[in-house]
Structures are given as C-alpha cells and as structure tokens.
Amino acid sequence: MSHLSKEQVIAYLEQSIDNREEMENHLLTCDNCMELYLNVIDNQTYEAAPSSDFTNTFMQQMNKTIVTPSKGRTNRALIHYAIAAGFTVLLTVSGVFQGVMQATNDQQMEQKPSISEHLMLKTDQWIEKLKGEGK
C-alpha cells in the first residue's frame, strides 16, 4: 500500500472508509503515515460544549434508571430492625450485659497495669534516676 493522503486519514477518522483494517495495518508499519495521522488528530477541532438538549436528554434517561426499593424490601428491613431492638431489650432486661460488664471488670482488676501505666512508671523511674545522678 502506498502512503496515505490527508483526505484518506480524515476519512478514516470519520469512519467513512471501507478498508479500515488495511489502513490500520499500514499505520502500524509506516512511520510517515503515522506521523500524518497524529498531525491530523492534533489539528482537528472538537466541539467541547454539549448539545442544547443535553440536559433534558440526560434527565429523561436518569428518570428511567432510578431504582426505588420495593415495598417488601423496606418492610423486611423494618422487621429486622424491630427484631434487633427486641433482642437488645431482652438481653438488657435479663442482665446479660451486666454479667458481661462484671466479668470484664473482674478480669481487669486481676490483670497487670495497662501499657500507659507501665510507660508512666518506667518514665518516672528514669526521671528519678536522672535526678539522682545529677546530685
């Protein structure tokens, strides 16, 4: 295939040519034609502003695609919330939460001091040691 003309490249870009595959293969192998193709692309002007009816068309399409939850799905969610609230009240009244809190408090009393308390003790010991060396 011989080199492409500017008109052929423009026709290719506008997709008004039949031998597109042949032209693509030629563009991949011919540096001169690829450079012409890139220059034509750079020099083309594109309409940046949307059409005058863009907003109306877009809003019509959005109205078609809005998904509203079904009545049954909303009712199931309310039932699940009601069941969770019922279990919470039941566990609170039966004292399960109080038992958990008591067990946690007892366990904390038996454990070593927390990390922050341990760091504070070590820091205090270090400061006292520095004071002793400074005398």
Side-chain angles (χ1 to χ4, degrees):
M1 179 176 206
S2 63
H3 291 296
L4 302 174
S5 68
K6 185 175 181 178
E7 291 76 25
Q8 287 176 314
V9 172
I10 291 172
Y12 172 78
L13 289 171
E14 293 174 350
Q15 298 181 359
S16 61
I17 197 162
D18 293 333
N19 59 346
R20 289 185 56 82
E21 190 173 321
E22 184 181 340
M23 289 184 71
E24 288 171 1
N25 291 333
H26 180 75
L27 286 171
L28 291 173
T29 58
C30 180
D31 291 337
N32 292 333
C33 291
M34 180 57 84
E35 188 175 331
L36 174 66
Y37 171 77
L38 294 174
N39 286 334
V40 169
I41 289 177
D42 287 340
N43 293 331
Q44 279 188 335
T45 57
Y46 297 101
E47 184 178 322
S51 64
S52 60
D53 66 334
F54 173 78
T55 303
N56 293 334
T57 306
F58 180 78
M59 291 307 292
Q60 287 173 357
Q61 288 177 355
M62 286 302 296
N63 288 335
K64 291 178 187 175
T65 60
I66 291 176
V67 177
T68 56
S70 65
K71 190 91 169 160
R73 189 172 187 182
T74 304
N75 288 340
R76 280 192 299 243
L78 290 175
I79 291 170
H80 288 140
Y81 285 129
I83 291 171
F87 275 123
T88 304
V89 169
L90 179 66
L91 293 175
T92 302
V93 170
S94 68
V96 171
F97 290 139
Q98 187 64 30
V100 170
M101 292 301 293
Q102 186 63 36
T104 304
N105 287 338
D106 292 344
Q107 191 179 26
Q108 286 179 349
M109 294 292 188
E110 296 172 5
Q111 289 183 351
K112 300 186 266 183
S114 68
I115 293 174
S116 57
E117 289 174 355
H118 182 70
L119 287 172
M120 286 178 58
L121 288 172
K122 289 291 185 181
T123 304
D124 188 42
Q125 290 172 358
W126 182 71
I127 289 173
E128 291 299 323
K129 186 177 176 183
L130 285 176
K131 285 182 182 178
E133 290 177 3
K135 290 184 181 180

